[in-house]
Amino acid sequence: MISFLLYNMKILLFANIGTANNGFYHIGDEAMFLETYYWYQKNHKSTNLSIFTSKKNHQNLKVTELLNFDFNNEKPRIYFLKLILKFLLYKFSKTNFLSKNEFEFINIIREQDIIHFCGGGNLTSLFKPWLFYSYSLIVIAKILGKKIFLTSQTIGPFNFTDKVISFFVLNLVKVINIREPNNSLLKYGIILPNIGKTLDAAHSLPTIKNKNINIARQSKIRIGISIHQWKNYNEILVSNLVRLIQQISKKYSIEILLIPHIIATNEFESYGDVIYMSKITKKLKNSIIVLGLDINFYTQTNYEIAQISKTLTSTCDLVFSSRYHGIVFSLSENVPCMTFISDEYYSQKNIGALNFYYSEKYSDYSINLNNKNIFNELKNKTERILKNIDKEKKYITDINKQFSTLDNKFYKNLIFN
């Protein structure tokens, strides 16, 4: 029935896909997009897939690449309202105040049968340009009678005004799959969509065999690090993690593997994870082995970067990650993970990922950077994991086996009729 309904349908996949002109590349969004793409290719080969992308670098995939609509980022909320008003005037009175780019954007939506937001944690007031770019797509698609699906989502937090707008916009959607075991949408009054609570799409993204990324192990324990700068937590995180690594290196034979999740070059390079994580490695003793792929390897590779990152993660014994997808990559590959949380945004995302595995015991695997006694907490939790590393891995492996037999996948609640 579903295969018949999707036969030759045009589906637009939407996420933060591709490499921007300033070199910005988001591995997490790319991972969710790729696994969603693979799912369509496996289950519904007849669909015609398109994507909005920052740069056309997915030529090896069977998708039509469309460059992102040039959304007005200076006053995104106001521009969103103006765009919707101009669209309504055009649709119902044929009065055209639309620019050429706006008209093309609307026509692209008009040509689709389904709009599928295939992942992301960027429907939040923290990223207003993307939020209202997304909301423009949703509202226009709904008015044009298109089906709208959101999978692998973390939604919020919102300020008051955006919360009101989100109530109206997100209740237009047919399906929303959130990547946490609890329904966090009720607090925003979002009740009309079919709401599912499922694993992130990147959970099932396959690793790859590539001799160019086979970094030989030189120590007994490999610790992966995937952290990033965020607000005013930078020095707190770096100083405590450096101190921890120095201490545990006295007791264990360890090596450090750097795993970036944001690749950035050109004028955006200082925002990239590689540059930020070098603040840690520069402060470590020379005797501690630090491994990682050269930044040029990532920038010269196209869509496989997400799978490369997950493959690297799978070779670790323990991962420290402030990134949401650092947690997903780690736990889905049976690797214990310690995460860092700071504000409501990262608390919701990271704790949501941990809850699938540890329920209320998630705090054993997270460090709140607002606590005063960070180091002792970090040290005690890390030493407990390392002391019971085989038991920890077995526990995660058993949970993943349960996931494989349960209908917990990201596409669980997709309804195409």
Side-chain angles (χ1 to χ4, degrees):
M1 182 66 172
I2 289 179
S3 295
F4 172 76
L5 288 169
L6 288 186
Y7 184 74
N8 280 341
M9 273 199 171
K10 294 182 178 181
I11 300 175
L12 176 66
L13 301 180
F14 186 77
N16 190 3
I17 303 170
T19 304
N21 290 331
N22 57 17
F24 184 92
Y25 181 95
H26 195 294
I27 283 178
D29 275 49
E30 197 78 20
M32 293 179 287
F33 153 67
L34 276 178
E35 184 57 16
T36 307
Y37 166 82
Y38 293 147
W39 180 76
Y40 276 109
Q41 287 296 300
K42 179 181 178 181
N43 297 281
H44 307 289
K45 291 183 179 179
S46 65
T47 54
N48 298 301
L49 299 177
S50 299
I51 60 173
F52 272 127
T53 179
S54 299
K55 188 177 181 180
K56 294 184 178 181
N57 52 3
H58 300 82
Q59 289 85 359
N60 294 334
L61 305 181
K62 294 180 179 180
V63 295
T64 299
E65 295 185 278
L66 306 164
L67 291 180
N68 273 318
F69 171 56
D70 187 16
F71 196 80
N72 187 331
N73 293 339
E74 294 182 5
K75 296 181 178 179
R77 187 191 297 146
I78 294 175
Y79 180 64
F80 157 72
L81 296 172
K82 287 183 177 180
L83 177 60
I84 299 305
L85 178 59
K86 287 194 285 185
F87 169 63
L88 290 172
L89 285 172
Y90 177 75
K91 179 173 176 59
F92 295 108
S93 71
K94 300 304 178 183
T95 305
N96 188 7
F97 294 104
L98 296 164
S99 69
K100 180 180 178 181
N101 286 337
E102 291 168 347
F103 198 81
E104 289 177 354
F105 177 59
I106 292 167
N107 277 338
I108 288 172
I109 300 172
R110 193 191 309 276
E111 292 171 358
Q112 311 303 317
D113 297 299
I114 294 173
I115 308 297
H116 186 165
F117 285 68
C118 54
N122 35 26
L123 294 184
T124 167
S125 294
L126 295 175
F127 310 118
K128 286 185 185 293
W130 188 270
L131 174 66
F132 288 103
Y133 177 23
S134 301
Y135 282 2
S136 298
L137 180 54
I138 290 173
V139 173
I140 293 171
K142 182 65 177 181
I143 294 171
L144 291 173
K146 312 302 178 182
K147 293 184 175 69
I148 309 162
F149 302 95
L150 276 66
T151 57
S152 296
Q153 296 292 317
T154 300
I155 293 176
F158 300 113
N159 60 35
F160 178 78
T161 304
D162 293 345
K163 186 184 296 185
V164 173
I165 296 173
S166 297
F167 167 78
F168 289 103
V169 173
L170 293 178
N171 273 311
L172 300 174
V173 174
K174 186 175 181 62
V175 170
I176 302 178
N177 281 357
I178 53 175
R179 49 194 188 184
E180 52 197 281
N182 301 309
N183 188 351
S184 60
L185 300 185
L186 290 176
K187 62 185 176 184
Y188 301 124
I190 302 168
I191 57 175
L192 296 183
N194 181 358
I195 298 172
K197 295 164 282 187
T198 62
L199 295 169
D200 184 272
H203 185 277
S204 51
L205 182 73
T207 56
I208 57 177
K209 294 181 180 179
N210 185 329
K211 63 181 180 180
N212 292 326
I213 62 172
N214 183 21
I215 302 176
R217 182 185 288 262
Q218 301 180 41
S219 304
K220 184 177 181 180
I221 295 177
R222 174 174 286 184
I223 296 177
I225 295 181
S226 180
I227 65 171
H228 70 298
Q229 59 180 337
W230 182 252
K231 297 185 176 179
N232 60 340
Y233 297 97
N234 301 352
E235 293 307 317
I236 296 173
L237 181 51
V238 169
S239 60
N240 283 282
L241 199 50
V242 167
R243 185 180 172 190
L244 174 73
I245 294 171
Q246 304 280 34
Q247 284 213 10
I248 62 177
S249 67
K250 298 175 183 177
K251 187 175 181 180
Y252 298 94
S253 172
I254 67 170
E255 62 188 28
I256 305 300
L257 177 63
L258 303 181
I259 310 170
H261 277 252
I262 291 291
I263 308 299
T265 56
N266 303 335
E267 72 272 19
F268 225 48
E269 187 173 13
S270 61
Y271 186 75
D273 290 354
V274 174
I275 298 297
Y276 176 63
M277 289 191 291
S278 68
K279 294 181 180 180
I280 291 178
T281 58
K282 289 177 180 178
K283 295 181 180 181
L284 294 176
K285 294 184 296 185
N286 292 332
S287 59
I288 297 177
I289 299 171
V290 178
L291 306 169
L293 296 173
D294 185 88
I295 186 66
N296 291 325
F297 181 88
Y298 291 101
T299 57
Q300 293 170 6
T301 307
N302 287 328
Y303 69 93
E304 287 184 329
I305 298 178
Q307 289 176 272
I308 291 171
S309 179
K310 192 174 187 185
T311 302
L312 291 174
T313 304
S314 71
T315 68
C316 298
D317 299 295
L318 172 63
V319 169
F320 291 104
S321 179
S322 59
R323 292 266 184 213
Y324 170 82
H325 276 99
I327 304 171
V328 172
F329 285 2
S330 180
L331 294 178
S332 64
E333 292 300 318
N334 307 317
V335 178
C337 180
M338 182 75 70
T339 190
F340 304 92
I341 56 178
S342 48
D343 55 6
E344 182 182 356
Y345 175 66
Y346 272 103
S347 294
Q348 183 179 343
K349 291 208 304 183
N350 294 5
I351 291 174
L354 292 176
N355 273 338
F356 276 110
Y357 287 82
Y358 301 110
S359 188
E360 296 305 313
K361 292 185 178 181
Y362 72 85
S363 59
D364 291 341
Y365 303 88
S366 64
I367 302 295
N368 191 324
L369 295 177
N370 293 300
N371 291 346
K372 293 181 179 179
N373 197 17
I374 295 175
F375 179 73
N376 286 338
E377 184 182 4
L378 178 59
K379 178 176 177 291
N380 292 337
K381 291 179 178 180
T382 301
E383 288 185 341
R384 177 186 57 79
I385 293 174
L386 290 175
K387 184 178 179 180
N388 302 283
I389 194 70
D390 292 334
K391 184 178 179 181
E392 293 281 346
K393 290 180 179 179
K394 184 180 184 305
Y395 173 81
I396 301 171
T397 302
D398 290 342
I399 294 295
N400 282 327
K401 287 179 181 177
Q402 293 179 32
F403 286 152
S404 67
T405 59
L406 297 173
D407 194 10
N408 240 327
K409 302 300 184 184
F410 74 96
Y411 49 80
K412 171 182 173 184
N413 290 311
L414 286 183
I415 301 173
F416 292 104
N417 52 25

